[in-house]
Amino acid sequence: MDSTANSQHKPFSIKLWPPSESTRQVLVHRLTNNLTSNSIFTQKYGALNKEEAEENAKKIEDIAFNTSNEHYDREPDGDGGAAVQLYAKECSKLLLEVLKRGPAAKEKELVSQNNSSAETFFDISKGQRAFLEAEEAENLLKPLKDPGNSYTKICFSNRSFGLGAACVAGPILASLKNQLKEVDLSDFIAGRPEAEALDVMNTFSTALEGSVLKSLNLSNNALGEKGVRAFSALLKSQSCLEELYLINDGISEEAARAFCELIPSAEKLKVLHFHNNMTGDEGALAVSDVVKRSSLLEDFRCSSTRIGSEGGIALAEALESCTHLKKLDLRDNMFGVEAGVALSKALSKHLTLVEIYMSYLNLEDEGVVVLANALKESAPSLEVLEMAGNDITADAAPTIAACIAAKQHLTKLNLAENELKDEGTIQISKALEEGHTLLSEVDMSNNFIRRVGACHLAQVVVQKPGFVLLNINGNIISDDGIDEVREIFKKSPEMLGPLDENDPEGGDDNEELGEGEADEDELESKMKNLEVGQEE
């Protein structure tokens, strides 16, 4: 099949998931305190007694952990940051639900959220990845042949179907297609010769043609244009799709055009994921046509797709019509300033946006400033803001800070791999001082931060009630500064990320001995009364 190698640079990241047992226990303790201590919520809904609070806290943490772990299993190539963010988000949501139910409420609702209906979901993806041939397929898929079964969701991922196995599966799927609502065929032809893989895809496509699916996952199949067209019968028959996943599929310019051609309707589409493909600018033009037709789109991911300025502008213009958007992920493309400006116009219309990922887009100060100004006036419930690796300097910090100050629902902030230095870092941390009680994760790694900026940021975030992780690795903090930061986190050391990449001598090679410390003292003095201003 077409090559799926993506040669784009992947920045180094620290593994954040799963949390240690001690971290999970600390979170349970904090949740218990939130359920029992005096706050605006317990004043309104009532506080729980200690025994009831501990029981609820354990259930909240367990459900949030399982939910986040499932998310991480679906995207194992990530650094775990998304799972950490979801972990904190779920804990906050469930905590509020328990508080609203009051101290006498039972936990039947929480338990039901953690129980799935095994009778409706058929999944063969667990266990070791393996080739699947006809005889084994007969045994493995036997439950699907049971008369009167209630399966509405199937997952055939992680098993490589040969043509023999596909011929076994085809009639079974055809018999179920009127009841199926969710189909996951991700990573189901791995290692097969191209000719056989295309035959397998055609067999599955024909079997499922005419089904009324809400969700279809064709990720990790090295589709290319030939693969997309092999699924033409299935794709053309879908008019009610709400979720479509084409992650790591070798979607080139030609494949993107084929996809656009074969999707008859996108009116109900709410989730569209195109991560890690070879789409490029011309392919982005085709994808943008689908986006324009997806007025109900809530979750759009087009990260690591080699899209430059022209394609970025086209996508930005298409997104203007997606006013229900809640999550937008455009990371790791080559947009540049012009596409950033175009995107800012689109974002000004997105009042429902909750998560936005704009890291590694070559936005620079100019692009970041217009985007921050647009976000400040929109997205009132923004929870996740990522702008790492955009060559942002302290000059853009006041605008970013003003935007952050307005986002009181923020749970995760990622400004890693920029050049904010102490001046910019202190302005950002000042913006986080007031409120921001839901903040759980801040990443300011690799920003040329010294002692003053690191300590100021640490003092702010350590006080947040649900805080989970501060990453300030890869900076130029002095040894004394490292000790000060660790002292700030002495009661919660698990909240401070690794500092092994910090370089205390990483400043200007020509800097005279002692000059760095003098600069820090001067900056600390200047920043004491700094206020986060509103941009005009």
Side-chain angles (χ1 to χ4, degrees), residues 176-377:
L176 296 175
K177 68 180 178 183
N178 291 330
Q179 69 189 60
L180 291 176
K181 298 300 178 186
E182 300 179 45
V183 171
D184 185 345
L185 300 178
S186 60
D187 191 23
F188 85 126
I189 52 165
R192 299 292 179 178
E194 179 177 309
E196 183 180 19
L198 290 172
D199 285 341
V200 169
M201 288 187 281
N202 271 304
T203 300
F204 275 78
S205 177
T206 302
L208 292 167
E209 181 181 7
S211 56
V212 185
L213 300 180
K214 288 187 176 181
S215 177
L216 177 61
N217 190 345
L218 300 176
S219 300
N220 300 310
N221 283 314
L223 296 177
E225 182 185 6
K226 292 180 181 178
V228 171
R229 294 197 181 279
F231 277 109
S232 59
L234 173 59
L235 292 173
K236 283 181 177 179
S237 68
Q238 300 305 305
S239 58
C240 295
L241 269 183
E242 295 180 9
E243 300 180 8
L244 179 59
Y245 302 89
L246 295 168
I247 297 170
N248 192 32
D249 272 332
I251 302 293
S252 60
E253 171 190 333
E254 295 78 14
R257 287 175 177 165
F259 159 72
C260 183
E261 169 194 328
L262 294 171
I263 293 291
S265 173
E267 293 176 358
K268 296 185 179 181
L269 206 59
K270 293 181 180 180
V271 179
L272 180 58
H273 282 199
F274 263 100
H275 170 68
N276 197 32
N277 284 296
M278 306 179 296
T279 313
D281 279 347
E282 292 299 322
L285 297 178
V287 174
S288 65
D289 286 339
V290 177
V291 173
K292 282 179 184 177
R293 294 186 274 133
S294 307
S295 59
L296 297 181
L297 198 63
E298 296 179 358
D299 180 352
F300 180 53
R301 185 182 187 192
C302 199
S303 49
S304 302
T305 47
R306 305 184 184 181
I307 298 174
S309 180
E310 182 184 3
I313 292 171
L315 283 176
E317 292 174 348
L319 287 167
E320 289 187 35
S321 62
C322 303
T323 54
H324 296 86
L325 205 63
K326 295 179 181 179
K327 181 177 179 180
L328 177 62
D329 186 352
L330 300 170
R331 284 176 287 190
D332 194 18
N333 283 299
M334 300 168 283
F335 278 23
V337 174
E338 289 185 17
V341 172
L343 185 58
S344 70
K345 295 176 182 177
L347 294 183
S348 64
K349 301 180 180 180
H350 289 98
L351 299 178
T352 59
L353 201 61
V354 176
E355 301 178 27
I356 184 162
Y357 302 86
M358 300 184 292
S359 297
Y360 310 104
L361 292 178
N362 298 333
L363 296 172
E364 302 178 4
D365 282 351
E366 185 179 350
V368 166
V369 164
V370 292
L371 282 164
N373 276 326
L375 282 173
K376 184 179 68 174
E377 304 301 330

Side-chain angles (χ1 to χ4, degrees), residues 415-421 444-449 474-475:
L415 293 170
E417 297 192 55
N418 286 300
E419 299 176 21
L420 287 164
K421 301 184 178 179
M444 293 285 286
S445 57
N446 298 287
N447 262 290
F448 301 98
I449 301 171
N475 284 298

